Amino acid sequence: MKSFKQELRKQKIHLALIINSTLQDPNFYYLTNVTPENAFMLISSKFSTKIYCSPLESAQLKSKSKIKAFYNLDKKTFEKMIALIRKYRIKKIGMNLSTITVNEFNGIKKRIQKQVKGIKFVDISNLLRKTRAIKTKQEIKLYKKATKITEIIWEKTLKYIKSKRSITEIQVKEFMEKEMNNLNLTSSFPTIVASGKNSSIPHYVPQKKKLSKGFCVIDFGINYKGYCTDITRTIYLGKPSQKEIDLYKLIFDTKNYAASLIKPNQFSATISKKTRKFLGEYDKYFTHGLGHGIGLEIHELPNLKVTAKEKFQPNMIFTIEPGIYIKNKLGIRLEDDYLLTNKSIIQLTKAPKNLAVINR
Ligand SMILES: [Mn+2]
């Protein structure tokens, strides 16, 4: 909240209007620690933050939130907001245009502009994204725990696959999600289990189909107290050739190489370009970005790709996930979660150096 307000001041935005309505804005939770279903929040450097939501929700939410000014969302709310806008001479309102429908935005804008002549609206989606990209101490602590749990789930999954003579992709996915549920957690996105030729499809949807011989790519993450983890492990069923072992090693080394380059103030695009060079002739089989920030959403800033504009900054948490995909043949991807401090890069999860081989 503090750094968000600072940014608002810098950009001379007198009021931010954060709304949970048809679409939920993750920034509502980020700024308040609660997620009312239907609510809006007024944030300004000129007065203390106010939340308007249903009285059915407010009593319970108030005890969980740092914000104590909860008001009923009713017919009078709009008039109250107009009164505040007038009282504090607000000229510019910031709204997150990434999490509001076009109709809702146009409706609000029209209603306010009718009452307050000349008032301007600006999009603050990027400002919010930039604020969220820099994690707080509390968020970092939470991520250390979340990534540990993610690795424990992976270890259990590997044991489970080893223990079964024959098993389907869906069964692996279901096992993982059951393990998450046992811990009162959910997956941060649909778990990917792609075996054999299917491993060459980066966003493959697991099928009721027995794990075939060859590489098997498993990409998953958990949602821990609102925060997403995201890791990928590649294992091998059967007996890998030396060439296949070498390809796994190439991806492992590529991930380490990328991590070794990342330092505060480095351009993200430069890291991606250098890493692609490292892959040499296999660059053409690396068909997606190098990684992405993680947080309340599974894809946040920074973007790790050749077209990214941003620089790395201390306290960013992101994934590095090189992969190669050879159509109808094989796919290999390794993905770990990293924290950049002002001194060094800390690997929060650790993909194994040696390819895990399951005899079949
Ligand atoms: Mn990812």
Side-chain angles (χ1 to χ4, degrees):
M1 181 65 95
K2 214 172 123 192
S3 41
F4 174 56
K5 275 190 173 182
Q6 269 171 10
E7 273 307 306
L8 287 177
R9 223 171 293 142
K10 253 194 236 165
Q11 302 197 18
K12 297 201 166 57
I13 300 164
H14 310 119
L15 176 69
L17 205 54
I18 307 286
I19 299 179
N20 268 0
S21 184
T22 309
L23 304 169
Q24 303 275 295
D25 185 344
N27 297 294
F28 210 112
Y29 180 82
Y30 179 72
L31 296 163
T32 66
N33 262 337
V34 292
T35 308
E37 242 182 64
N38 209 348
F40 73 91
M41 172 162 56
L42 304 178
I43 301 169
S44 172
S45 53
K46 302 187 179 197
F47 54 83
S48 61
T49 301
K50 300 179 195 319
I51 295 174
Y52 296 81
C53 72
S54 157
L56 299 171
E57 289 187 276
S58 56
Q60 210 195 344
L61 298 177
K62 214 169 148 179
S63 63
K64 288 185 196 159
S65 180
K66 279 179 197 158
I67 311 296
K68 294 301 167 204
F70 277 73
Y71 302 91
N72 290 347
L73 184 61
D74 56 27
K75 282 176 191 161
K76 288 177 194 156
T77 306
F78 182 74
E79 285 315 312
K80 284 182 194 159
M81 183 169 69
I82 295 294
L84 281 170
I85 290 171
R86 289 205 176 111
K87 183 177 173 189
Y88 293 100
R89 298 169 193 281
I90 284 154
K91 305 243 165 19
K92 206 195 265 180
I93 297 181
M95 286 178 74
N96 182 0
L97 298 197
S98 294
T99 52
I100 188 163
T101 67
V102 174
N103 280 343
E104 281 167 340
F105 175 66
N106 287 338
I108 290 167
K109 189 175 150 184
K110 223 170 151 184
R111 267 181 92 184
I112 295 178
Q113 283 180 336
K114 221 174 172 182
Q115 303 274 334
V116 187
K117 289 272 166 285
I119 196 157
K120 281 193 182 116
F121 285 80
V122 289
D123 179 25
I124 53 168
S125 57
N126 225 22
L127 188 159
L128 284 159
R129 270 191 209 109
K130 280 182 189 164
T131 306
R132 269 177 34 214
I134 313 298
K135 266 55 182 180
T136 63
K137 267 186 197 154
Q138 203 187 347
E139 288 177 305
I140 290 167
K141 215 173 131 190
L142 204 145
Y143 256 110
K144 286 183 178 166
K145 184 93 189 279
T147 46
K148 245 180 220 150
I149 298 170
T150 309
E151 291 219 291
I152 290 168
I153 289 172
W154 169 245
E155 280 160 25
K156 284 188 173 177
T157 305
L158 186 57
K159 264 191 200 152
Y160 172 74
I161 299 171
K162 279 180 182 167
S163 76
K164 298 279 172 186
R165 282 219 140 254
S166 162
I167 189 176
T168 67
E169 292 171 345
I170 288 272
Q171 278 177 308
V172 175
K173 174 188 155 101
E174 282 172 353
F175 172 84
M176 297 174 85
E177 286 169 5
K178 207 182 86 216
E179 286 297 320
M180 294 177 202
N181 292 343
N182 288 345
L183 299 169
N184 250 327
L185 305 167
T186 54
S187 55
S188 54
F189 62 90
T191 301
I192 296 169
V193 180
S195 79
K197 282 177 188 175
N198 299 333
S199 62
S200 68
I201 305 165
H203 282 172
Y204 175 76
V205 178
Q207 308 292 321
K208 205 171 154 186
K209 170 191 159 302
K210 290 197 172 129
L211 295 192
S212 11
K213 284 189 179 179
F215 286 109
C216 178
V217 173
I218 299 176
D219 186 348
F220 76 104
I222 60 166
N223 184 309
Y224 180 73
K225 299 187 177 178
Y227 287 83
C228 302
T229 65
D230 185 4
I231 70 171
T232 307
R233 300 292 177 251
T234 298
I235 58 174
Y236 197 96
L237 283 88
K239 199 179 179 314
S241 65
Q242 189 55 45
K243 176 107 191 277
E244 287 171 320
I245 293 171
D246 292 345
L247 282 178
Y248 179 90
K249 194 176 176 299
L250 174 67
I251 297 307
F252 182 84
D253 290 343
T254 303
K255 193 173 61 61
N256 280 350
Y257 175 73
S260 75
L261 298 174
I262 298 173
K263 292 184 176 66
N265 282 319
Q266 290 276 355
F267 275 106
S268 171
T270 313
I271 309 293
S272 285
K273 282 173 199 159
K274 284 186 180 169
T275 303
R276 285 190 167 277
K277 264 196 195 137
F278 186 88
L279 271 173
E281 57 173 318
Y282 287 97
D283 176 33
K284 65 172 181 283
Y285 298 113
F286 179 23
T287 49
H288 54 74
L290 180 61
H292 52 92
I294 45 175
L296 291 171
E297 291 179 289
I298 190 69
H299 294 121
E300 295 205 354
L301 291 180
N303 282 309
L304 279 74
K305 53 183 184 187
V306 290
T307 52
K309 298 272 178 285
E310 57 267 34
K311 283 179 176 178
F312 284 100
Q313 290 174 63
N315 301 327
M316 282 181 162
I317 294 180
F318 49 85
T319 74
I320 304 179
E321 51 173 321
I324 50 169
Y325 311 92
I326 302 174
K327 208 179 165 188
N328 287 323
K329 260 184 139 174
L330 61 87
I332 305 167
R333 173 163 75 255
L334 292 175
E335 177 178 34
D336 278 312
D337 300 345
Y338 293 82
L339 160 69
L340 183 64
T341 71
N342 47 21
K343 290 189 205 83
S344 62
I345 189 162
I346 296 168
Q347 196 174 343
L348 298 172
T349 60
K350 286 185 178 70
K353 187 177 177 187
N354 295 317
L355 174 61
V357 175
I358 299 177
N359 293 319
R360 280 290 145 88

